[in-house]
């Protein structure tokens, strides 16, 4: 199978009499395998069946690739529409509190998360202005945290998104507030007119 070769086996036993294993090919890449099983002892597979089986394997590979391309295109279209709707909802709000709530609610439609927090930069600290999904919100919402945090410093300095595969295993992660549940973590600098004005964190339990 992994050597892109059809394998013809004859397996004795009360059920399976013969087995034809055919690689599903996508160009030069093996995408999978399908097995043809014969329980009839009077009709066993033979080498003459291999060319047709391989042709079916190639056709199946083309079908799988086309289906994946369509699925990816459909997913991108859905994501673009979701992002457009979310952006419209956010930009249509005028009050700060409503804007922040719209951001946290609509963000989940684009990037699914378990919890998130929006920080505003205030002098030498970050103030949590909004958040969702925390087991104990009172330990997070309205709280202030120091700007002297390795991840914050790095993200603000480089103005880039930082992703941690497992936050609890990363020495830079400070476990602010109620974040013991956080495993996957993403930190996003918020920028306006060329300046970093805040920080957005998105958390996952996985």
């Amino acid at each position: 199978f992994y050597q892109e070769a059809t394998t013809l086996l004859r397996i004795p036993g009360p059920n399976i009499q013969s087995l034809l294993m055919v690689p599903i090919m996508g160009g030069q890449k093996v995408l999978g395998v399908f097995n043809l099983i014969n329980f009839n002892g009077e009709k066993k597979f033979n080498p003459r069946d291999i060319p047709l089986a391989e042709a079916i394997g190639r056709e199946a590979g083309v079908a799988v690739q086309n289906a994946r391309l369509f699925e990816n295109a459909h997913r991108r279209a859905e994501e673009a529409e979701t992002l457009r709707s979310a952006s419209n909802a956010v930009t249509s709000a005028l009050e700060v509190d409503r804007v922040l709530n719209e951001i946290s609610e609509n963000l989940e439609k684009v990037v699914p998360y378990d919890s998130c927090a929006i920080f505003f930069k205030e002098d030498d600290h970050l103030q949590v202005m909004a958040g969702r999904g925390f087991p104990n919100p009172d330990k997070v919402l309205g709280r202030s945290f120091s700007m002297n945090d390795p991840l914050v410093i790095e993200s603000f300095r480089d103005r880039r998104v930082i992703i941690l595969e497992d936050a609890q295993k990363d020495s830079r992660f400070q476990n602010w507030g109620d974040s013991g549940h956080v495993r996957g973590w993403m930190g996003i600098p918020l920028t306006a007119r060329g300046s970093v004005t805040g920080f957005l964190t998105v958390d996952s339990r996985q």
Side-chain angles (χ1 to χ4, degrees):
F1 158 50
Y2 284 106
Q3 294 177 352
E4 303 174 14
T6 299
T7 303
L8 179 63
L9 302 176
R10 297 189 184 278
I11 305 175
N15 296 317
I16 298 178
Q17 297 299 319
S18 61
L19 169 68
L20 184 64
M21 301 179 66
V22 185
I24 300 174
M25 302 298 300
Q28 300 299 315
K29 184 179 180 181
V30 179
L31 303 177
V33 64
F34 68 84
N35 298 334
L36 304 179
I37 300 173
N38 202 327
F39 297 102
N40 187 342
E42 297 180 359
K43 174 62 177 73
K44 293 182 171 61
F45 297 116
N46 60 67
R48 292 191 301 275
D49 297 318
I50 291 178
L52 178 58
E54 289 180 331
I56 295 173
R58 289 190 294 270
E59 292 297 324
V62 172
V64 169
Q65 285 187 317
N66 288 341
R68 286 179 174 176
L69 289 173
F70 176 79
E71 182 180 347
N72 289 338
H74 182 66
R75 184 170 60 252
R76 286 195 296 270
E78 285 187 334
E79 289 174 348
E81 176 60 24
T82 302
L83 182 60
R84 185 192 65 79
S85 299
S87 297
N88 287 343
V90 170
T91 55
S92 65
L94 298 178
E95 299 177 358
V96 173
D97 289 344
R98 184 182 170 192
V99 169
L100 297 180
N101 288 330
E102 291 286 356
I103 290 174
S104 59
E105 290 177 9
N106 285 279
L107 175 63
E108 189 175 11
K109 300 176 183 178
V110 184
V111 182
Y113 62 78
D114 290 313
S115 59
C116 80
I118 301 174
F119 302 78
F120 276 4
K121 183 180 178 183
E122 301 286 349
D123 297 325
D124 61 348
H125 64 274
L126 291 172
Q127 182 85 20
V128 183
M129 304 300 293
R132 298 180 72 223
F134 290 96
N136 298 293
D138 57 308
K139 294 184 178 180
V140 179
L141 299 180
R143 298 285 301 276
S144 295
F145 298 94
S146 172
M147 288 282 296
N148 189 27
D149 177 280
L151 292 169
V152 172
I153 292 173
E154 182 178 342
S155 182
F156 275 44
R157 181 192 65 219
D158 300 336
R159 300 190 180 187
R160 68 178 181 87
V161 175
I162 297 177
I163 294 177
L164 304 183
E165 183 175 344
D166 189 342
Q168 302 302 326
K169 293 182 179 179
D170 195 302
S171 60
R172 297 172 297 173
F173 189 69
Q174 300 297 305
N175 274 302
W176 282 355
D178 189 19
S179 55
H181 66 286
V182 176
R183 307 299 291 195
W185 181 90
M186 180 162 57
I188 307 147
L190 306 180
T191 60
R193 299 182 181 87
S195 300
V196 180
T197 60
F199 199 54
L200 168 65
T201 61
V202 182
D203 316 314
S204 170
R205 294 180 181 273
Q206 297 183 356

